[in-house]
């Protein structure tokens, strides 16, 4: 199952705020031997949010959506998720009970809308202020506040997706090929991709650094044992074409 992220907010696209969720999600997944496959940033546009969710709900990916689930006029995600799923937006009964216990009479008339979720939604507990997020199929919607969003994501993963955890997570190893040019090695890279479909190949050209002349940094990512075999084969093949190689500095 692939994992994706949808990060919503005009303030991110305008530069008023810097996104922190992407790196946090990568870290949270990596701690469980998982990885992020894709991410999309969206403006506070109901049309864009609905279209994106309609597309992703039609697939099988595990998706985390950040932001837009409050009760202010610019919080569109709850209604967009309902429209994308083809269901009505309704007050979640357990969510209502949580808000009433938290706020009492002040739940009404406005706070109650924070638990207007797509029909059939499941709640995601919020350890900070108890106002829950919600899940629709394999899509999980959390607030834009990092202090709330990140433990909520961890709860979702630890509660519902332990079967995806990997006790031996992927590793990434590689080397540097000095004075190498991409165009001269495309054929070799294509051969490696075909021979090792379980590995992910990366190729990062550089015009040179303080301690290295122009070079290409090669990397292979996947199961540790297979990565070691693949890197060794790729390095020998690059050297056979006349290029000097060096170990890559640890990251």
């Amino acid at each position: 199952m692939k994992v994706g992220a949808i990060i919503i907010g005009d303030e991110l696209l305008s530069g008023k705020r810097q996104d922190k969720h992407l790196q946090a999600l990568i870290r949270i997944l990596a701690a469980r031997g998982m990885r992020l496959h894709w991410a999309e940033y969206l403006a506070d546009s109901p049309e864009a949010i609905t279209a994106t969710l309609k597309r992703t709900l039609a697939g099988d990916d595990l998706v985390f959506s950040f932001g837009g689930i409050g009760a202010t006029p610019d919080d569109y995600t709850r209604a967009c998720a309902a429209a994308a799923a083809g269901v009505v937006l309704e007050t979640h009964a357990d969510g209502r009970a949580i808000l009433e216990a938290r706020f009492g009479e002040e739940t009404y008339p406005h706070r109650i809308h924070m638990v207007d979720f797509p029909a059939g939604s499941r709640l995601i507990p919020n350890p900070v202020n108890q106002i829950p997020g919600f899940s629709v199929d394999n899509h999980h919607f959390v607030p834009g506040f990092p202090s709330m969003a990140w433990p909520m994501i961890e709860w979702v993963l630890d509660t519902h997706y332990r079967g995806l955890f990997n006790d031996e997570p992927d590793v990434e190893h590689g080397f540097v090929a000095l004075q190498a040019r991409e165009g001269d090695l495309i054929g070799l890279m294509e051969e490696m991709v075909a021979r090792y479909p379980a590995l992910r190949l990366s190729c990062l050209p550089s015009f040179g650094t303080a301690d290295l002349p122009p070079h290409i940094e090669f990397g292979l990512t996947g199961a540790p044992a297979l990565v070691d075999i693949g890197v060794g084969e790729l390095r020998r093949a690059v050297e056979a074409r006349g290029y000097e190689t060096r170990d890559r500095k640890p990251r």
Side-chain angles (χ1 to χ4, degrees), residues 16-241:
K16 290 181 180 178
R17 289 187 180 178
Q18 297 297 311
D19 171 53
K20 298 179 181 178
H21 294 305
L22 187 63
Q23 287 301 318
L25 181 57
I26 291 170
R27 171 183 54 78
I28 290 169
L29 291 169
R32 292 157 177 79
M34 302 170 66
R35 74 179 185 92
L36 184 67
H37 295 82
W38 57 265
E40 295 186 28
Y41 288 89
L42 299 178
D44 291 311
S45 162
E47 295 79 14
I49 297 170
T50 301
T52 299
L53 291 175
K54 189 171 184 178
R55 169 172 51 83
T56 58
L57 281 165
D60 298 322
D61 291 355
L62 164 58
V63 178
F64 292 100
S65 174
F66 299 83
I69 66 170
T72 57
D74 61 343
D75 287 319
Y76 302 116
T77 304
R78 292 175 292 104
C80 292
V87 298
V88 298
L89 197 66
E90 63 181 18
T91 302
H92 194 288
D94 292 339
R96 177 195 292 114
I98 291 171
L99 293 191
E100 289 177 344
R102 174 80 167 78
F103 299 109
E105 293 182 359
E106 294 181 359
T107 300
Y108 304 93
H110 300 300
R111 286 192 173 100
I112 189 63
H113 296 304
M114 291 189 289
V115 292
D116 287 347
F117 296 145
S121 294
R122 309 179 308 279
L123 297 186
I124 302 173
N126 182 335
V128 176
N129 68 359
Q130 288 75 60
I131 300 172
F134 65 98
S135 299
V136 178
D137 294 332
N138 284 326
H139 283 51
H140 307 281
F141 299 84
V142 297
F145 298 103
S147 62
M148 301 178 189
W150 301 348
M152 293 169 76
I153 289 170
E154 291 178 320
W155 180 88
V156 168
L157 290 168
D158 294 342
T159 303
H160 299 295
Y161 296 99
R162 284 189 175 274
L164 300 180
F165 293 5
N166 186 354
D167 293 334
E168 190 178 65
D170 289 352
V171 299
E172 198 259 352
H173 294 160
F175 61 92
V176 171
L178 304 182
Q179 304 294 350
R181 297 184 301 179
E182 282 184 296
D184 296 335
L185 296 172
I186 288 177
L188 174 59
M189 289 187 275
E190 290 175 342
E191 291 175 11
M192 289 297 298
V193 170
R195 189 174 297 124
Y196 293 92
L199 298 180
R200 302 187 298 280
L201 171 70
S202 63
C203 169
L204 183 62
S206 171
F207 289 113
T209 61
D211 55 347
L212 286 176
H215 60 271
I216 294 176
E217 180 178 325
F218 286 105
L220 288 174
T221 303
L226 190 59
V227 164
D228 288 342
I229 294 171
V231 168
E233 180 177 339
L234 178 59
R235 188 167 186 170
R236 288 190 296 273
V238 169
E239 291 173 344
R241 285 161 170 78

